[in-house]
Amino acid sequence: MLRRRAFVRRSRKGNLVTVVREHYLRDDIGSGLTLSSSSTSSSDVRVWLGDPLQDAVSDTQAYYLLPDSQVALDHVDLLEHKSVRHVILLQSVLDAVQTQDRDVYTRLRALVEAEPTRFFYVFSNEHHRETYVERIPGESETKRLSRALRTAALWYQQQVESPRRILILSNSADELQQAKQNGLFAQTVHEYASSRQAEVPNLLDVVGLPSDETEVVIDGALQAQLLSAQRSEADQLPAEHLTEEEVEAGFRDGSLVRGVYHSSDEDPFSGYVVVHSSLRTRSRRLLRAPRTVGDLSLGKVASNQEKMNESEAQYEQLLVRGARLLNRALDTDVVAVRVLPREQWLRPANALAAELDQRAEVSEDADADGAYCEPEPTGCVVAVLRRNWRPYTGCLLPPEDSPSEADTQQQFDDGSGSGQALKKHKKTIGKAASVSVSASVSASRTTGKETAPEAEDQEDRPRELLFVSRDRHIPRIRVRVHSPAKLLGRVLVVRVDRWDRSSPLPCGHYVRDLGPVGDRETETLAVLVQHGIRYEPFSKKVLACLPPKPPQPPHKSTASASSSAPPFQPSEVPVTAELLETRTDLRGLCVLSIDPPGCTDIDDALHARVLPSGRLEVGVHIADVTHYLKPDTAMDQEAAARGSSVYLCDRRIDMLPSLLGTDLCSLHGGVTRLAFSVIWELDADTAEVLAVRFAKSVIRSRHAYTYVAAQQVIDDASRTDEVATSLRVLQRAADLLKEARHRRGALTLASPEIRFRTDEETRDPIDVELSDHVETHSLVEEFMLLANVSVGQQILRVFPNCALLRRHPAPPLSRFDQLVQAAGRAGVSLNVSNSKELCASLDTATMRENEYFNTLLRIMTTRCMTQAVYFCSGSLSPDEYLHYGLAAPVYTHFTSPIRRYADVIVHRLLAASLNILPLPTGLSRESVVRRLSNGLNRCHRMAQHAGRSSVQLFTRVYFRNHPAECCHAHVLAVRRDGVQVLVPKYGIEGAVRLQHWTYDPELHTLVSPLGDRTLRLFEHVDVVVTVRDTPCGDEMLLSLASSSSSSSSSFSSSDSKKVSSSSSASISKAASSGSQSILSKRTGAGGDDAESLADGPPLSKKARGKKA
């Protein structure tokens, strides 16, 4: 049976195009069931769904589960639970999930493909003649999908043999009612989990809190928060989110703006909504794709919505401070915001972050800080357009360690002191008791009266505790668990389910237990999970895409008799005459690579020579990963999902299988490799690019040098061989290129490298080594930058609408205000009008009595920068392509395809631009490239944060074994309750809390209680570093060495954004080096893109090392 639809639409060029879609309906699509004897279908020859009667504890529980799309989205953790089997996934449900959340869709497909014993089956109901549902005129797509679910359930119910039944899982009251009217069996997920409680006790924990707050034992401190919120006046609660029509109207008339909320490091209830131009172009798609229950489904927006309204043009970011103004938004949520009148603007908080186990999710009164700065444009969140919730790792807070009610009395404070209205409603409630509020909590909401807790035994009822996330940007989460004793002291994974208007905190559910708190393997796993890193071994499908391993060349073993394994020997890539027909043979050139010690994933190599004309020929040769990584294969899809290799202190999570990443693609010395080469002719006196060409090539690297070894060759005057000459030519040209970049306004940042020496058995860090920056670091960096610029220009010229580029937006001048004021107090004038003037100002900013002053100033400059991001060229105007930090009009990533999927895409675009290979399907479409860039930005950001968190973990381990060590530090910021300091020796940043010190907002200083000491910005101090145990894990403490009795500090190891996030003090991924007993971390720009000023630490060559 064939259904045919034709419609007309307008193309991008404005032409009318007729589109014909054919929809085939069939009779022979299998159900996946064990058929009854009355069935006449012959297509169901295999049993995909198994027999639930064999697993059920009773005949009444022999269910085939049929979840709706919202259950699949919100409760994928339930579907992934090992006890849940025999699940029918309708194609209509999967299509809806794919539209709204591709991550959840991927997880569901993995259940179908990788869990055959779980019996998940995809039924193509949209193509079956008896289950396809045509959309009725005027019917919404949501209603049609609901009807399709019931139609498929009725059809399935006719196929199954009693006592087996079809069970619809839905949390929609309307859907449940409709199902029952049709004679179908339907339950909510909570009802389903409750029915299996005797069989699977922890299944309710995975489901989370029900919306009706059924009987639950609540921790005393949490009870105080709930009761105080219920007793407060209605006007003190966060406002209801606006309706679809109201939000649309607000966007049209300019009264509302849209942006992404980013909470501060100090308080999850305070931060900024960044209004960005890219959000305006994506607004329609965001509004059509609600992620969770309670989010807005805002439909289509008028065409003029994409135009910048008055508010968006005037404000690039808005301060949001206090729970009322935040209105239940979480970090990275896309929100709609109303700009408050100027008289209601607030000042940002000026306090240090609270300690890990003591922080309260409140915002202080605005007047507490004094007039340390002017009020900033302030907004109020009126709607959440898209929830960006993800799994969070952390620990449950024991009842005896829960915060007192005083810590939470301002939970609904809007930052202007209105939270004082809540104080009169407080009632003293002991924090140590765990009492049952059960129905009394719900009753007090409607009656306003408190009912006494029931005195019955509470052990059989679930208990609700507070979950403290390792991410400081997330408030505490209410979590219901049935066996808290088993979960206390464990690192857990929790997901947020919802955030009710009447609740001061979001509600979530427990997903999995990672292991004991403090165990290094557990903590490392928590880092990977927290940042969404795909760390599982590559699947058989992926490994099946690998080419056969070539034979290894003859190589004399250098391993000693006691060695447990022979040294790694790279394979020789066979070169055939057919291959050479499509490639340039460069094996006769003096090609060499320069990398950190022990690096095995070598992306790049270089060559240089003087031509007879006197010009210089310089080549950058990049591993030709795309020769092996074919588009749309399982390996390509996995690499795209991973997005980037992730470098931790003790391991590397590869983007590609090791056969490619560390062997066939890696440009080892002495073996033949396939490469993609960029070759320039440069002026010998100025290094100006006179000509450039691109070619697929065959190379044979003469040698794989370390940075230090290459520098030694350059400095050895007795070396006059071809290798030494080539290195010196490269060094001279790199110096000229660097000077030219600086003249254009590229920012220069310091790059000291710090390495941990570790115990070879325990892998614990035992010592710290400082490594000086050598010139060969800049040598490699300059030519990688030049290659990225040249390739970016080439793909943009050929593909102006779909080139994958990288931009670093110029930061708003307002971001530099505090930096300019701070520098002014130190007698230094900064010109921040553009990058060129800023670069010149930083170069001349010195302080005679403080040699580290210039570095500190560059660190603070980095804090003012925006984030560098990937983007599709067709989505922005050319004047927005600028990379501010590099002073490059066009820039991309080409030089690291082994470890970055963005570079793989650029390789394919470059090959297509040269007519070497056709452009893969999809890359010619702007929407596809834009979606890829968004995913790559997320992967790139998460990989960086994971690397920093791993460094923090090893730093804690080091100081746990070296307690009370006194270190030199420098003051980076002065707050009213302490100072933020940087410890250069370890590259760590932390807060020193100072009790009873007096804060002077005009001079921006802190004066000791006796008046004998004053702390100001940039000042040198000595601090003592210790590590203390908390219920949530180890926490690093900093205190002033000279006044330990009056100062305390917390440097939270869980804060992925706190450890040296700047380029000159930021910690990059730690990497093994040499004998695998060195873990290196670096503080600064460098590597192959010098983008740490905008990105934090890049995955640079400087910090790469062996895979653990």
Side-chain angles (χ1 to χ4, degrees), residues 538-855:
F538 291 102
S539 67
K540 293 182 179 179
K541 278 190 174 183
V542 171
L543 298 178
C545 299
L546 291 171
K549 182 178 175 63
Q552 292 180 338
H555 184 80
K556 185 177 180 180
S557 176
T558 58
S560 63
S562 59
S563 297
S564 59
F568 172 75
Q569 297 183 18
S571 304
E572 182 79 25
V573 173
V575 178
T576 63
E578 181 182 1
L579 184 66
L580 288 176
E581 290 178 358
T582 60
R583 291 181 177 267
T584 303
D585 192 347
L586 302 179
R587 286 176 289 181
L589 296 179
C590 182
V591 177
L592 48 89
S593 62
I594 307 175
D595 292 276
C599 181
T600 58
D601 53 343
I602 304 173
D603 292 280
D604 52 83
L606 303 102
H607 90 271
R609 60 180 178 175
V610 180
L611 299 176
S613 63
R615 295 179 175 181
L616 304 181
E617 179 186 270
V618 177
V620 166
H621 312 280
I622 307 301
D624 190 4
V625 172
T626 55
H627 177 78
Y628 305 98
L629 186 63
K630 303 301 182 183
D632 301 322
T633 61
M635 185 163 60
D636 184 55
Q637 293 169 359
E638 180 66 21
R642 296 194 176 206
S644 171
S645 294
V646 180
Y647 295 82
L648 306 183
C649 287
D650 59 344
R651 70 198 67 187
R652 186 181 70 227
I653 311 299
D654 287 326
M655 184 184 78
L656 298 172
S658 59
L659 178 60
L660 295 186
T662 60
D663 191 1
L664 298 182
C665 292
S666 186
L667 306 183
H668 296 284
V671 292
T672 300
R673 287 293 181 263
L674 306 181
F676 212 151
S677 300
V678 184
I679 302 174
W680 303 273
E681 286 189 19
L682 306 178
D683 185 279
D685 298 323
T686 63
E688 178 186 356
V689 176
L690 304 175
V692 60
R693 60 189 175 95
F694 310 91
K696 293 264 190 173
S697 61
V698 181
I699 65 170
R700 189 178 186 88
S701 175
R702 299 286 181 88
H703 195 79
Y705 285 100
T706 65
Y707 288 109
V708 173
Q711 190 64 53
Q712 290 172 347
V713 173
I714 294 174
D715 296 339
D716 187 354
S718 64
R719 292 281 301 266
T720 59
D721 55 275
E722 186 180 16
V723 170
T725 301
S726 179
L727 282 171
R728 293 185 184 114
V729 171
L730 287 169
Q731 185 67 68
R732 185 170 66 254
D735 292 341
L736 294 171
L737 289 171
K738 188 173 184 179
E739 291 177 6
R741 279 201 309 114
H742 291 171
R743 288 194 299 269
R744 292 194 301 268
L747 299 180
T748 305
L749 299 173
S751 181
E753 183 176 338
I754 301 172
R755 298 186 299 176
F756 280 136
R757 180 173 295 278
T758 63
D759 185 274
E760 294 188 4
E761 294 184 1
T762 65
R763 302 294 294 165
D764 286 344
I766 57 177
D767 196 7
V768 174
E769 294 182 350
L770 299 179
S771 184
D772 293 333
H773 178 84
V774 293
E775 292 183 356
T776 45
H777 286 121
S778 296
L779 182 158
V780 175
E781 174 185 303
E782 290 302 322
F783 288 110
M784 297 305 110
L785 291 173
L786 184 60
N788 288 335
V789 169
S790 298
V791 171
Q793 294 170 343
Q794 169 68 13
I795 63 176
L796 179 62
R797 182 181 62 82
V798 180
F799 303 112
N801 293 323
C802 60
L804 180 66
L805 303 177
R806 190 163 178 82
R807 65 189 290 258
H808 177 206
L813 294 182
S814 59
R815 290 196 177 192
F816 292 102
D817 289 347
Q818 295 188 28
L819 172 65
V820 172
Q821 294 173 11
R825 296 189 191 100
V828 173
S829 176
L830 289 182
N831 186 339
V832 297
S833 58
N834 55 60
S835 64
K836 186 174 183 179
E837 295 296 337
L838 176 60
C839 180
S841 296
L842 291 174
D843 288 342
T844 58
T846 58
M847 184 179 291
R848 183 176 302 175
E849 61 273 17
N850 188 346
E851 296 180 355
Y852 204 69
F853 171 75
N854 188 265
T855 300

Side-chain angles (χ1 to χ4, degrees), residues 41 106 136 187 313 721 787 859 957:
S41 174
T106 301
I136 301 173
Q187 288 182 339
D721 55 275
I859 293 172
V957 173

